[in-house]
Amino acid sequence: MRIILALSSAIILLFSTSCKKDSTATPYTCASCVQSPDALAANDNSSKGIYKGVVIGSTGTIKFNIANNGTDITALLVIDGVSATLTSTLAWVGGQPYVAPFTGTFNGSAATITFSVDSDGTNATIVSSNIPGHASAVFAIIKESSTALVEGYNGTYSTTRPETGVFNILISRTAGLWGGISKENGQSSTEDVDGTFVNGKLFQSTTQIGTLNGDVITGSFQDSNNSTVTIEGRRVL
């Protein structure tokens, strides 16, 4: 079944016995998120550069810097609000695929994630991972280009089946595409999800599943089982 992610902005109505006052909450924005690509033009067709991803198991993001602006080779992993910086000692070599283990400490224990990408920057993937407390983590990774910012969103979904789950995606507004992974709560399997992004709206095939307002995704649609699916999510990368 194909499902999607979500998040919500809130309008809070405050009441008192003596007066009534409407107040609109400040819309959510990702204060730590960049508004233009970190990736350099010189790396657009190379295994060098910036790679961004979302994680399910539990929920989070990852960002790889493969010698984007020099020799630094690092990965910033965030899962359930806990972050860790991982590093690799394997040097980048021009014209070659880059496959390397990234190691560090997550929640006080050793963690390893092995990253792989072709020589031209395509087919970025996680070969294996050993993250304490997250043995079944699943990743969706994409390379950012110098002209197309990649944004990461963590979200949830619920349906009238009923069913609830996690829906984490990456969006490129410039490319007009989105993609990621979803997982039903209590289940071990995940599902790849993707679609197009047009005029602030997320589509899966011809079905509009959500709308992006600022850094917030919300939406409601009917799936192939005639269940209503509600999604909400927010930008975190």
Side-chain angles (χ1 to χ4, degrees):
M1 57 189 72
R2 286 182 163 273
I3 317 177
I4 332 305
L5 78 86
L7 104 135
S8 58
S9 56
I11 296 178
I12 303 173
L13 301 179
L14 301 177
F15 298 88
S16 70
T17 55
S18 59
C19 64
K20 178 180 178 181
K21 180 180 179 181
D22 291 346
S23 175
T24 301
T26 302
Y28 168 81
T29 58
C30 178
S32 61
C33 294
V34 298
Q35 301 305 313
S36 59
D38 290 319
L40 301 181
N43 302 328
D44 281 349
N45 298 306
S46 162
S47 54
K48 267 188 176 183
I50 298 295
Y51 299 81
K52 293 179 178 178
V54 287
V55 187
I56 284 184
S58 299
T59 188
T61 61
I62 193 164
K63 177 182 176 182
F64 289 91
N65 175 355
I66 310 299
N68 183 59
N69 191 13
T71 57
D72 287 346
I73 298 178
T74 62
L76 178 61
L77 172 69
V78 181
I79 297 181
D80 294 341
V82 178
S83 62
T85 298
L86 312 179
T87 60
S88 179
T89 58
L90 189 63
W92 176 85
V93 178
Q96 299 293 320
Y98 187 76
V99 182
F102 285 72
T103 60
T105 301
F106 183 84
N107 257 345
S109 298
T112 302
I113 297 174
T114 300
F115 171 82
S116 172
V117 64
D118 290 350
S119 59
D120 61 355
T122 60
N123 296 318
T125 187
I126 301 301
V127 176
S128 64
S129 68
N130 182 8
I131 306 169
H134 305 281
S136 59
V138 178
F139 301 76
I141 306 287
I142 191 170
K143 180 180 173 69
E144 181 175 87
S145 77
S146 62
T147 58
L149 174 69
V150 173
E151 304 173 13
Y153 291 77
N154 283 171
T156 60
Y157 73 86
S158 61
T159 81
T160 53
R161 288 186 186 94
E163 180 181 314
T164 60
V166 179
F167 183 80
N168 293 348
I169 66 168
L170 301 160
I171 295 177
S172 173
R173 304 189 195 211
T174 301
L177 298 170
W178 66 268
I181 40 182
S182 68
K183 179 181 179 182
E184 181 182 353
N185 290 336
Q187 301 299 312
S188 58
S189 62
T190 61
E191 181 178 5
D192 294 337
V193 291
D194 58 60
T196 55
F197 180 77
V198 182
N199 296 327
K201 296 177 174 57
L202 286 79
F203 291 87
Q204 192 169 56
S205 186
T206 58
T207 301
Q208 180 183 332
I209 63 167
T211 301
L212 177 61
N213 289 310
D215 288 342
V216 173
I217 295 171
T218 55
S220 184
F221 63 98
Q222 291 223 299
D223 66 11
S224 59
N225 297 314
N226 291 322
S227 296
T228 299
V229 182
T230 301
I231 62 170
E232 7 176 83
R234 63 179 59 194
R235 186 182 176 195
V236 290
L237 177 65

